[in-house]
Amino acid sequence: MLTTPCSGNDDGDDTSGNFIQLSIVSVSWNQNSFPLQPTDRRTMSSRGNRHTLTIRHVQQEDFGNYSCVADNSLGRSKKYMEVSGRPGPADFLSPPWSRSTDSFNLTWKVESYPPLQEVRLLYRKLMMNETFQQPGRWHDVILTPAPRPPSEPLTHVMAFTLRGLQHSSVYEAIVQAKNRYGWNEVSRIFGEAL
């Protein structure tokens, strides 16, 4: 089930669909610029200034760009959200420091409805001192994810041990994952110190 709210006050950069808290005359929802109507899987609800679109049993036909449009006597405001089957960004679970002098166990998780097909891990050493920072070249590792347990239908937890690292050095890593709908956004940079 996917639920996206449209409420609150407009600060200009909130992706949850927030609007000025004045009397809203009408709220409409669109998918790929086409108006949406309620169905047995799709409901639109309002509670005060909070307007919500809920999609149950999300299917491929539900993927696309959604917009919430609110109109009142002062004008119109829109907020946007993309719904896709691609994996979410990787979140790193490892602590930033290694207990080993030449290796590091990097652990992360990725949320994805379909099973992951491939994961790409890139890491590099940062050459640095008090006044200078120069990144090294990226090392590219392609991983095949193991099947996830039935108890965790969305979460893929993966780990990889980086070996042959230099003591007293700083490394950074990024992860990208692919399922049948494509690649996710590249993760935020993870930094580790040995």
Side-chain angles (χ1 to χ4, degrees):
M1 176 169 40
L2 170 74
T3 301
T4 182
C6 201
S7 65
N9 53 24
D10 190 2
D11 59 10
D13 58 17
D14 185 348
T15 58
S16 66
N18 290 336
F19 298 106
I20 245 170
Q21 286 189 340
L22 297 172
S23 177
I24 294 176
V25 176
S26 70
V27 172
S28 60
W29 290 91
N30 300 296
Q31 178 188 13
N32 301 323
S33 300
F34 292 101
L36 287 176
Q37 298 300 322
T39 66
D40 58 332
R41 293 187 312 103
R42 185 174 51 226
T43 59
M44 294 106 170
S45 60
S46 297
R47 187 175 190 184
N49 276 346
R50 185 174 181 85
H51 306 276
T52 305
L53 169 66
T54 302
I55 302 172
R56 290 180 208 20
H57 310 292
V58 175
Q59 300 170 5
Q60 190 168 354
E61 68 196 41
D62 298 314
F63 298 161
N65 294 306
Y66 286 80
S67 61
C68 175
V69 182
D71 291 300
N72 68 16
S73 61
L74 297 177
R76 171 177 280 189
S77 185
K78 292 182 181 182
K79 294 293 178 170
Y80 302 93
M81 178 182 153
E82 180 190 9
V83 176
S84 82
R86 293 186 311 271
D91 289 322
F92 291 100
L93 305 173
S94 300
W97 303 101
S98 178
R99 295 178 189 216
S100 171
T101 59
D102 64 351
S103 66
F104 187 84
N105 185 25
L106 188 61
T107 305
W108 62 91
K109 69 177 181 176
V110 174
E111 304 288 329
S112 176
Y113 281 105
L116 295 180
Q117 297 173 332
E118 185 176 317
V119 173
R120 183 176 183 208
L121 165 65
L122 292 104
Y123 68 96
R124 66 183 175 186
K125 179 182 174 189
L126 291 177
M127 294 166 269
M128 55 195 301
N129 60 30
E130 292 80 28
T131 61
F132 174 79
Q133 179 174 326
Q134 173 72 34
R137 72 173 184 82
W138 287 107
H139 299 274
D140 194 350
V141 180
I142 304 298
L143 304 167
T144 302
R148 64 184 166 212
S151 61
E152 304 245 359
L154 298 176
T155 305
H156 298 262
V157 177
M158 294 186 68
F160 185 80
T161 301
L162 305 172
R163 300 188 189 283
L165 305 178
Q166 290 184 340
H167 182 62
S168 299
S169 297
V170 176
Y171 288 82
E172 61 185 8
I174 56 175
V175 169
Q176 193 172 22
K178 176 184 174 186
N179 66 18
R180 70 177 181 228
Y181 296 113
W183 290 93
N184 65 356
E185 299 283 327
V186 174
S187 69
R188 65 175 173 75
I189 293 177
F190 177 82
E192 71 231 21
L194 294 177

